Amino acid sequence: MNQPGTPTMTTQTQTCSSEEKATIGIGLLGLGTVGTGVYKLVNRTPGLDVIKIAVRDPGKERPGLLAPDQAKLTTHVDEVLEHPDVAIVVELMGGMDEAYRVIKQALSAGKHVVTANKMVIAHHGPELFALANAHQVNLLFEGAVAGGIPIVLPLKVSLAANRIEQIAGILNGTTNYILTRMEQDHGLAFETALADAQHLGFAEADPTADVEGHDAACKVAILGSLAFGKPFSPKDVYTEGIARLTPADMAMADELGYRIRLLALAKPWPSSDNTQGYDIRVHPMLVPADHPLAKVTFENNAIWVQGDAVGETMFYGKGAGELPTASAVSGDINLVAASLASHQSDSPCGGHPTQHPGMRVSFASSTPHPIVPIAETTNAYYIRLTANDVPGVMGALGMACGDCDVSLHAVLQKGTDEATNSASIVLLTHCVQEGKLQAALDRIRALPQTRDVQTVLRVFDSI
Amino acid sequence: MNQPGTPTMTTQTQTCSSEEKATIGIGLLGLGTVGTGVYKLVNRTPGLDVIKIAVRDPGKERPGLLAPDQAKLTTHVDEVLEHPDVAIVVELMGGMDEAYRVIKQALSAGKHVVTANKMVIAHHGPELFALANAHQVNLLFEGAVAGGIPIVLPLKVSLAANRIEQIAGILNGTTNYILTRMEQDHGLAFETALADAQHLGFAEADPTADVEGHDAACKVAILGSLAFGKPFSPKDVYTEGIARLTPADMAMADELGYRIRLLALAKPWPSSDNTQGYDIRVHPMLVPADHPLAKVTFENNAIWVQGDAVGETMFYGKGAGELPTASAVSGDINLVAASLASHQSDSPCGGHPTQHPGMRVSFASSTPHPIVPIAETTNAYYIRLTANDVPGVMGALGMACGDCDVSLHAVLQKGTDEATNSASIVLLTHCVQEGKLQAALDRIRALPQTRDVQTVLRVFDSI
């Protein structure tokens, strides 16, 4: 444990004659829940020393802050960025524009940067990685995807020899919590499950970013970029949320042997053997009940990675939260610190900050690589509709599908409503191009027997 | 892709004037199934070049070997170890004594070593890590534990800020396959499931190392050493196998809401807040059916890691096999290569091989750290026994337990056999020290009503 207030020796001030082991100076931007967690973990790590902490309100009560560190607080970000003893800047301010500006400034000043900011990495990653490379410093972001779950480092290093065939992630804890509740409390409406999640602190007052899949889209754009070495923009990621799912869908999925999960997918298109593009998207899917992803419940996250050598592998854990995210951020800090310490011992009298070998991110272009349009992707589908309960309905549905090259895997008629003379029908298709499926849906909607197409979902892991 | 036969530039022969990008020379020891997989993956990685390959039988047909590389084969390990262009030695010979000798020789010669040899790392790790540190080279071993699953790097780097509270691993695919088969085919005997596993290539002709838990003991000794920074000897790991489990135990576990898994445990003892020792062991356990580890089936492996910051996390995948293990080995090779390449670009005219920052393993002592004796560990227990079907049995059992401080959580009498006038009884205890449980078992066995205590299992994740 470092003694706060003790003079520290840093990379910049180190002298050759000293026998003392140098410490690495840390500058914190933000001291919210994650920041406080990082502060605690850094404080118990030998060789690291928090030099300066930028906060919005220095007068706020902070029970986690050691008394002597009160003097390290500042409202001026520049005091952190320009402090000569700060070697690693840890950005935990949140938001996008200011965080982006600050990270850019830090990298340009030759500081290493560790961040958990998925928005900045997803939207400005290529520019910032290029800047980091130009200045030979690290920009690490393990905490930006799936909280405490180590996925960036394994994907970047451990699985580097693989051609990645598919990534399928449950990357948003809020939506997984809501789906698990709806799955376990039969009949529970989306709105009620969301309200419960908000009450428990698993969902924000404005849940749009989570519920509509935008949060997961940022994260899967980052994972896709790491896996395929191309920059992808989250704006190009096709996104559907979970707000329109009903208890009837949960019940039907269960009966068919599936669970519904909001999955973030990234894969080469049309296949890893013949890569012509990349298929990256976020939407709810039917997942076979015995698949490991179907068993990920409540606020947990998981990332399923298939590689041509490693086969199928999965990383599971808490996707958010103060300490899990702080764990990931601190892992990155330790990695940079090890690199700096090793550099110091190599050339004690000089040298400049170096990038950690294996941690360099580089893309051939900073222009986002296009993503295959959803209409060109291939999926199996679940279609739930109501139709008039009259003879010939099944035949008409079958014809509508067949005319568009959509082949049916299963057809279920579940119950008829005598009062309205209607039948609830579920179709499960074989794999087909989305464009053809949409054409079939247009025909189905136009059938005189069709009352309403309620839900269309894609099916995971289908052939 | 490297062109075989092309002259390569290596760390040793690089000159400053050359604009050509240097390649890193790889020496392979062993070209069996994993070796062939590594050869394929290395060959498709730019910047890596296989220089020499040591094999036992150079005349053997090797369909995976490119024709020009036939000339790289040798039966003399020294030709690989002493080749000036070999920077990284990849040991995939298997066995223990020769592999140990060869790794030692390679490290002493200043070569980086990558191995998947769990026996050598578990038994000789401390000595070899010290040697690697002394020569400033890497000794990496991701493939030695849980095949393709990235666990060494995440544990060493990503989770480094955590105090590890518990590791619980399904580290042996053979035994997990057998247990899954017994669980799913009601009534299937251990011997039949083992024969099936052997037939399918999931178990060896002599299955002792897998079935008795010795294989898992090696792996958990390595994981424990990484997590707690102390060297542990696999010889000190308490080990029980799965050979005595019966269909009756599978059925009873299922009825009680559990699955039986061969778990490898490593945790601070008595707790992570008050660490006085380390509790490391391998034995079958009852795992609650809704726990992620219970859902790991067939030949898959998984490692459950609890840290004080990250919370509960799990790493899942194929624990063995040609390509998964080759994936892990190649990840390590790439990591060393990145380190060498970065070192070259830092100081193109000189310098020596350096250790990869963050990858250094060091222990205060090379003497194995003691492991807490099983009698001092605390567990909940499942006890299955048969007793005479007479009044007073339950009372006698309860007294025998109570006298030894063993408190019962549940007691089940499952069926009576009228022919033999016996009853099958299961006791589930609360957590208690193993020594007290053994004393209670002695009393139970001595009861006049007891016919036989068939099975005693510990319970995972119990309070």
Side-chain angles (χ1 to χ4, degrees):
Chain A
M1 176 89 72
N2 295 314
Q3 291 306 314
T6 306
T8 56
M9 307 196 56
T10 68
T11 36
Q12 283 78 357
T13 60
Q14 189 189 12
T15 60
C16 283
S17 57
S18 172
E19 287 294 300
E20 244 182 281
K21 188 160 180 194
T23 62
I24 311 283
I26 311 291
L28 282 181
L29 306 178
L31 199 60
T33 50
V34 176
T36 305
V38 171
Y39 170 82
K40 279 183 213 159
L41 295 178
V42 165
N43 261 344
R44 77 182 192 193
T45 307
L48 300 183
D49 193 19
V50 175
I51 304 284
K52 270 279 170 198
I53 308 170
V55 295
R56 284 202 187 81
D57 175 8
K60 193 174 149 189
E61 203 159 322
R62 300 174 191 277
L65 192 71
L66 300 172
D69 284 355
Q70 195 73 35
K72 297 180 179 173
L73 297 184
T74 172
T75 53
H76 300 287
V77 167
D78 288 351
E79 282 188 35
V80 178
L81 300 186
E82 292 168 9
H83 198 294
D85 291 349
V86 168
I88 306 174
V89 171
V90 181
E91 185 281 306
L92 299 166
M93 307 157 61
M96 181 138 97
D97 293 343
E98 204 202 336
Y100 160 65
R101 188 188 63 72
V102 160
I103 290 174
K104 215 159 113 169
Q105 189 183 339
L107 295 172
S108 302
K111 309 285 191 189
H112 301 276
V113 173
V114 173
T115 178
N117 194 317
K118 62 180 175 289
M119 298 277 284
V120 171
I121 295 298
H123 288 278
H124 300 287
E127 181 196 349
L128 296 173
F129 294 131
L131 194 62
N133 294 344
H135 290 270
Q136 280 289 302
V137 290
N138 295 284
L139 170 56
L140 302 188
F141 52 94
E142 184 68 78
V145 183
I149 306 175
I151 181 63
V152 172
L153 188 69
L155 201 53
K156 195 146 177 30
V157 176
S158 315
L159 302 177
N162 286 263
R163 286 184 189 138
I164 301 298
E165 296 167 340
Q166 176 166 251
I167 293 175
I170 294 173
L171 299 179
N172 182 273
T174 305
T175 44
N176 206 58
Y177 176 86
I178 292 171
L179 292 174
T180 307
R181 286 294 313 278
M182 290 176 71
E183 177 181 302
Q184 298 192 350
D185 295 12
H186 300 160
L188 188 73
F190 166 78
E191 292 74 15
T192 319
L194 171 60
D196 284 1
Q198 286 170 320
H199 182 69
L200 289 166
F202 291 143
E204 306 201 28
D206 177 358
T208 314
D210 292 322
V211 162
E212 296 303 326
H214 306 314
D215 171 81
C218 273
K219 293 169 180 169
V220 77
I222 297 173
L223 290 180
S225 295
L226 284 171
F228 306 121
K230 315 270 180 204
F232 299 108
S233 168
K235 290 176 199 152
D236 298 338
V237 174
Y238 175 84
T239 307
E240 269 175 39
I242 63 164
R244 282 179 303 176
L245 293 172
T246 65
D249 293 313
M250 306 310 285
M252 192 58 69
D254 184 46
E255 187 167 333
L256 293 164
Y258 293 95
R259 299 284 173 270
I260 300 178
R261 293 287 178 269
L262 182 69
L263 290 193
L265 297 183
K267 50 187 178 181
W269 177 92
S271 74
S272 62
D273 292 335
N274 172 26
T275 303
Q276 297 173 23
Y278 298 94
D279 175 10
I280 305 183
R281 42 192 162 115
V282 173
H283 48 63
M285 294 191 98
L286 295 194
V287 181
D290 62 353
H291 192 283
L293 283 172
K295 296 166 183 170
V296 176
T297 52
F298 295 104
E299 76 277 19
N300 291 297
N301 278 208
I303 303 129
W304 180 256
V305 181
Q306 284 172 247
D308 70 341
V310 76
E312 301 173 330
T313 173
M314 190 174 85
F315 303 81
Y316 166 97
K318 292 271 174 286
E322 168 186 355
L323 279 170
T325 306
S327 164
V329 170
S330 301
D332 280 348
I333 295 173
N334 288 340
L335 196 60
V336 179
S339 187
L340 290 173
S342 133
H343 196 267
Q344 287 173 352
S345 69
D346 271 13
S347 40
C349 290
H352 52 85
T354 52
Q355 280 189 303
H356 195 284
M359 288 295 97
R360 186 184 166 95
V361 177
S362 51
F363 302 115
S365 150
S366 66
T367 315
H369 195 277
I371 292 173
V372 172
I374 190 75
E376 291 182 29
T377 67
T378 314
N379 303 276
Y381 295 85
Y382 154 104
I383 303 161
R384 187 168 66 81
L385 56 92
T386 45
N388 296 332
D389 187 21
V390 291
V393 171
M394 291 299 182
L397 291 170
M399 289 278 283
C401 289
D403 287 350
C404 298
D405 285 345
V406 175
S407 157
L408 292 176
H409 172 65
V411 180
L412 273 93
Q413 180 168 336
K414 286 301 299 179
T416 54
D417 185 334
E418 289 186 14
T420 60
N421 193 33
S422 68
S424 182
I425 294 169
V426 169
L427 310 177
L428 276 182
T429 78
H430 284 290
C431 270
V432 63
Q433 202 189 41
E434 173 108 2
K436 292 180 176 175
L437 191 277
Q438 294 296 347
L441 282 174
D442 287 344
R443 292 205 178 207
I444 288 172
R445 288 197 185 92
L447 287 175
Q449 297 95 330
T450 302
R451 298 229 183 141
D452 190 22
V453 176
Q454 275 110 346
T455 313
V456 179
L457 292 172
R458 299 170 191 86
V459 183
F460 180 66
D461 215 20
S462 48
I463 39 166
Chain B
M1 176 91 71
N2 294 313
Q3 292 306 316
T6 307
T8 57
M9 307 196 57
T10 69
T11 37
Q12 283 80 357
T13 60
Q14 189 191 13
T15 60
C16 281
S17 57
S18 171
E19 286 294 299
E20 245 182 280
K21 188 161 181 193
T23 62
I24 310 284
I26 310 292
L28 282 182
L29 306 178
L31 199 60
T33 51
V34 176
T36 305
V38 170
Y39 169 81
K40 280 183 212 159
L41 296 178
V42 165
N43 262 345
R44 75 182 196 196
T45 307
L48 299 184
D49 193 20
V50 174
I51 304 286
K52 271 278 169 197
I53 308 170
V55 294
R56 284 201 187 82
D57 175 9
K60 192 175 150 188
E61 204 159 321
R62 300 175 191 276
L65 191 70
L66 299 173
D69 283 357
Q70 196 73 34
K72 296 178 180 174
L73 297 184
T74 173
T75 53
H76 299 287
V77 167
D78 287 352
E79 282 187 35
V80 179
L81 300 186
E82 292 168 8
H83 197 295
D85 290 349
V86 169
I88 307 174
V89 171
V90 182
E91 185 281 307
L92 298 166
M93 307 158 59
M96 181 137 98
D97 293 343
E98 203 200 339
Y100 160 65
R101 188 188 62 71
V102 161
I103 292 175
K104 215 159 114 171
Q105 189 184 337
L107 295 171
S108 302
K111 309 285 190 188
H112 301 275
V113 174
V114 173
T115 179
N117 196 317
K118 61 178 176 289
M119 297 277 285
V120 171
I121 295 298
H123 288 278
H124 299 287
E127 181 195 350
L128 295 174
F129 295 130
L131 194 61
N133 294 345
H135 290 271
Q136 279 290 301
V137 289
N138 295 284
L139 170 56
L140 301 188
F141 52 94
E142 183 69 79
V145 183
I149 307 174
I151 180 64
V152 173
L153 189 69
L155 201 53
K156 195 144 177 36
V157 175
S158 316
L159 302 177
N162 286 263
R163 286 184 188 136
I164 300 298
E165 295 167 340
Q166 177 165 252
I167 293 176
I170 294 173
L171 299 179
N172 181 273
T174 305
T175 44
N176 207 56
Y177 176 86
I178 292 171
L179 292 174
T180 306
R181 286 293 313 279
M182 290 177 71
E183 178 180 303
Q184 298 192 350
D185 296 12
H186 299 161
L188 188 73
F190 166 78
E191 292 75 15
T192 318
L194 171 60
D196 284 0
Q198 286 171 319
H199 181 70
L200 290 166
F202 290 144
E204 306 200 30
D206 177 0
T208 314
D210 293 321
V211 162
E212 294 303 327
H214 306 314
D215 171 81
C218 272
K219 294 168 179 169
V220 76
I222 296 173
L223 290 180
S225 295
L226 284 171
F228 306 121
K230 314 272 179 202
F232 298 108
S233 167
K235 291 176 199 153
D236 298 338
V237 174
Y238 175 83
T239 307
E240 269 175 41
I242 63 164
R244 283 179 302 175
L245 293 173
T246 66
D249 293 313
M250 307 310 285
M252 192 57 70
D254 184 45
E255 185 165 336
L256 293 165
Y258 293 95
R259 301 283 173 270
I260 301 178
R261 292 287 176 271
L262 182 69
L263 290 193
L265 297 181
K267 50 187 177 179
W269 178 92
S271 75
S272 61
D273 292 335
N274 172 26
T275 304
Q276 297 174 23
Y278 298 92
D279 175 9
I280 305 183
R281 42 190 161 117
V282 174
H283 47 63
M285 294 192 96
L286 295 193
V287 180
D290 61 355
H291 192 283
L293 283 173
K295 295 165 183 170
V296 177
T297 52
F298 296 105
E299 75 277 18
N300 291 298
N301 279 206
I303 303 128
W304 180 257
V305 181
Q306 282 172 248
D308 69 342
V310 75
E312 301 174 333
T313 175
M314 190 173 84
F315 303 80
Y316 166 97
K318 293 271 174 285
E322 169 186 355
L323 280 170
T325 306
S327 164
V329 170
S330 300
D332 280 348
I333 294 173
N334 288 340
L335 196 61
V336 179
S339 188
L340 289 173
S342 134
H343 196 267
Q344 286 171 352
S345 70
D346 272 14
S347 40
C349 292
H352 51 85
T354 51
Q355 280 190 306
H356 195 284
M359 289 296 96
R360 187 185 164 95
V361 177
S362 50
F363 302 115
S365 148
S366 67
T367 315
H369 195 277
I371 292 174
V372 172
I374 190 74
E376 289 181 30
T377 68
T378 315
N379 303 276
Y381 296 84
Y382 154 104
I383 304 161
R384 187 170 66 82
L385 57 93
T386 45
N388 296 331
D389 187 21
V390 292
V393 171
M394 291 298 181
L397 291 170
M399 289 280 283
C401 289
D403 287 351
C404 299
D405 285 344
V406 175
S407 156
L408 292 176
H409 172 63
V411 181
L412 273 92
Q413 179 167 338
K414 287 300 300 178
T416 53
D417 184 337
E418 288 186 14
T420 60
N421 193 34
S422 68
S424 183
I425 295 168
V426 168
L427 310 177
L428 276 182
T429 79
H430 283 290
C431 270
V432 62
Q433 202 189 41
E434 173 107 4
K436 291 180 176 173
L437 189 278
Q438 293 297 345
L441 282 174
D442 287 344
R443 290 204 180 206
I444 288 172
R445 288 196 185 93
L447 286 175
Q449 298 95 329
T450 301
R451 298 229 184 140
D452 189 21
V453 176
Q454 275 109 346
T455 314
V456 180
L457 293 172
R458 297 168 192 89
V459 183
F460 180 66
D461 216 20
S462 48
I463 38 166

